Amino acid sequence: MKILYAVQGTGNGHITRAIEIIEHLQQKGDLDILVSGIQSDIELPFKVKYKFRGLSFIFGKNGGIDYWKTFLKLKSRKLIKDIKSLKIKEYDLIISDFEPISVWAAIKAKKTCVGLSNQVATLHPLAPKPRKDDVMGKMVLQNYAPTHINYGFHFKSLDKTVFTPIIRKEVREISITDLGHYTVYLPSYDDVKIVKRLNKIPEVAWQVFSKHSKKSYTIGNVSISPIDSKLFLNSIASSSGVLTNAGFGTTSEALFLKKKLLVVPMKKQYEQQCNAAMLQEMGIKVIKKFDKKSIDLIVNWVKSDTIIEVDYQDNTEEIIDLIIENYKKNKNKFSA
């Protein structure tokens, strides 16, 4: 069996999850890997057959997506060319982690594509949704990479097709301590704004990891470091708590490591709004904006000792087995 596993390269959560999934897929057939996107800080430790620019959203500095930079970096002709060039028909099983080129190539070739992502789960009818409806955001999420058969990941299992998060071995095996600092990852906010806000809580040591800085520096009680996956994980594992956006990867790992969690969902990002709705339902503190009005809320969170207990078993092998089993039962549906 020839398998194509396609991974979204915007953000780091897709890549870290892929590391665990690929090890199991390699045992199931002849595996090729596709990665598209330009916003990840982590490289896959596997041979990648296809690398595409893809369709990436660019993080802004004011709490959301920078749609102007996203538009400027969009290479629509290149995207269409990549979709047409992908030899999708040679694959028996196509699995996409919210990766659009593989999905649209499969649609064009009239082949079934399996979705395996957090984005799939946020659209599930049983998944909590934000109070304020976002018609445009929901439409983008539904049509960015519309797969035919869907399996998803969420902070809680919803049914037999929506699983708890995949936690990488590196996280499962790390020592958990509490050195008193708080880890911060808010990639859609400017470093200056982050420092300005956190300097107003001087009794706390803040370790900020930034997509906007290429060097490390410290201002008062706030240290800023460029993204480094190993340092970032060590910071979380030894922290008192984690202040981050509502992306799926960091939040899942913080919960697994039994860290106090405060999330600020990115503005006009429907997936993160959905993630935040689920986290809030679980009892995790969510704030709408990271602004001067939120300082008192952050102080109260720091003073609290509420940690949400989760049970994230290592079920990656079972998930892959289920997908392969269903593929074998329904082979005819996977062909043109």
Side-chain angles (χ1 to χ4, degrees):
M1 177 169 58
K2 195 158 187 180
I3 305 169
L4 177 67
Y5 179 48
V7 185
Q8 169 64 250
T10 298
N12 300 324
H14 302 275
I15 300 295
T16 55
R17 178 167 59 239
I19 293 171
E20 301 300 314
I21 290 173
I22 288 168
E23 290 183 358
H24 293 282
L25 283 176
Q26 286 176 328
Q27 301 172 25
K28 303 299 180 180
D30 182 8
L31 179 68
D32 286 340
I33 301 167
L34 182 157
V35 177
S36 77
I38 56 175
Q39 286 277 285
S40 176
D41 303 293
I42 301 173
E43 291 288 333
L44 278 176
F46 303 96
K47 180 182 177 182
V48 177
K49 183 168 184 178
Y50 304 102
K51 288 185 179 181
F52 296 120
R53 184 181 184 86
L55 182 57
S56 291
F57 294 103
I58 308 300
F59 293 120
K61 296 185 178 182
N62 195 35
I65 299 293
D66 188 324
Y67 286 103
W68 178 241
K69 282 189 177 179
T70 297
F71 174 74
L72 290 177
K73 288 185 176 290
L74 174 62
K75 306 288 185 181
S76 56
R77 289 185 181 179
K78 180 71 165 61
L79 182 68
I80 293 169
K81 183 179 178 182
D82 290 339
I83 291 170
K84 289 181 177 179
S85 70
L86 184 59
K87 297 178 180 178
I88 202 79
K89 286 189 176 182
E90 66 184 56
Y91 295 101
D92 303 299
L93 175 59
I94 305 154
I95 302 174
S96 172
D97 185 341
F98 203 57
E99 193 293 309
I101 291 175
S102 58
V103 173
W104 288 102
I107 291 172
K108 182 176 178 293
K110 297 181 180 179
K111 288 184 70 71
T112 299
C113 186
V114 175
L116 182 61
S117 68
N118 165 242
Q119 286 79 5
V120 162
T122 58
L123 294 170
H124 192 284
L126 295 178
K129 303 295 188 296
R131 292 180 183 177
K132 187 177 180 181
D133 196 21
D134 180 357
V135 176
M136 180 61 71
K138 188 175 182 180
M139 186 176 71
V140 170
L141 198 62
Q142 288 173 327
N143 294 286
Y144 180 86
T147 43
H148 305 91
I149 299 172
N150 293 315
Y151 302 88
F153 301 101
H154 221 320
F155 300 109
K156 294 192 296 185
S157 177
L158 300 177
D159 64 12
K160 293 181 179 179
T161 65
V162 177
F163 318 102
T164 54
I166 289 178
I167 304 297
R168 51 190 164 133
K169 291 176 187 174
E170 192 177 3
V171 176
R172 290 186 178 278
E173 295 172 357
I174 199 167
S175 297
I176 304 172
T177 59
D178 185 348
L179 300 181
H181 65 268
Y182 283 76
T183 303
V184 181
Y185 179 58
L186 295 170
S188 61
Y189 282 93
D190 181 78
D191 295 348
V192 175
K193 292 179 182 177
I194 293 175
V195 172
K196 184 178 179 180
R197 304 285 181 256
L198 297 182
N199 276 163
K200 293 184 181 297
I201 314 174
E203 65 274 17
V204 176
W206 302 96
Q207 294 185 3
V208 179
F209 288 83
S210 169
K211 268 187 172 290
H212 308 293
S213 179
K214 294 183 178 180
K215 63 178 183 179
S216 299
Y217 60 95
T218 300
I219 299 177
N221 60 317
V222 182
S223 65
I224 305 287
S225 300
I227 301 296
D228 178 296
S229 59
K230 188 171 183 179
L231 291 177
F232 182 55
L233 177 54
N234 287 335
S235 177
I236 291 177
S238 60
S239 72
S240 296
V242 179
L243 167 58
T244 185
N245 63 19
F248 191 63
T250 298
T251 46
S252 298
E253 292 180 354
L255 286 169
F256 176 82
L257 294 171
K258 294 179 170 48
K259 297 299 177 179
K260 194 163 53 174
L261 184 61
L262 175 64
V263 298
V264 189
M266 288 174 62
K267 293 185 292 187
K268 298 181 180 180
Q269 222 274 23
Y270 187 67
E271 174 208 342
Q272 291 212 5
Q273 298 293 329
C274 290
N275 285 343
M278 171 70 92
L279 290 168
Q280 195 163 36
E281 187 179 274
M282 292 168 64
I284 290 152
K285 184 66 179 177
V286 175
I287 57 177
K288 291 182 179 180
K289 296 179 181 178
F290 184 72
D291 55 16
K292 61 183 180 181
K293 294 180 182 179
S294 67
I295 292 172
D296 288 343
L297 297 173
I298 297 172
V299 170
N300 290 336
W301 170 70
V302 168
K303 290 179 179 178
S304 76
D305 55 5
T306 302
I307 295 174
I308 304 302
E309 294 285 337
V310 296
D311 181 21
Y312 292 160
Q313 298 293 319
D314 186 0
N315 57 359
T316 310
E317 185 174 3
E318 288 83 353
I319 293 168
I320 299 304
D321 285 345
L322 175 64
I323 293 172
I324 298 298
E325 181 183 343
N326 287 343
Y327 160 75
K328 290 179 178 178
K329 286 180 180 178
N330 302 280
K331 271 187 179 182
N332 294 335
K333 294 181 182 179
F334 286 77
S335 302

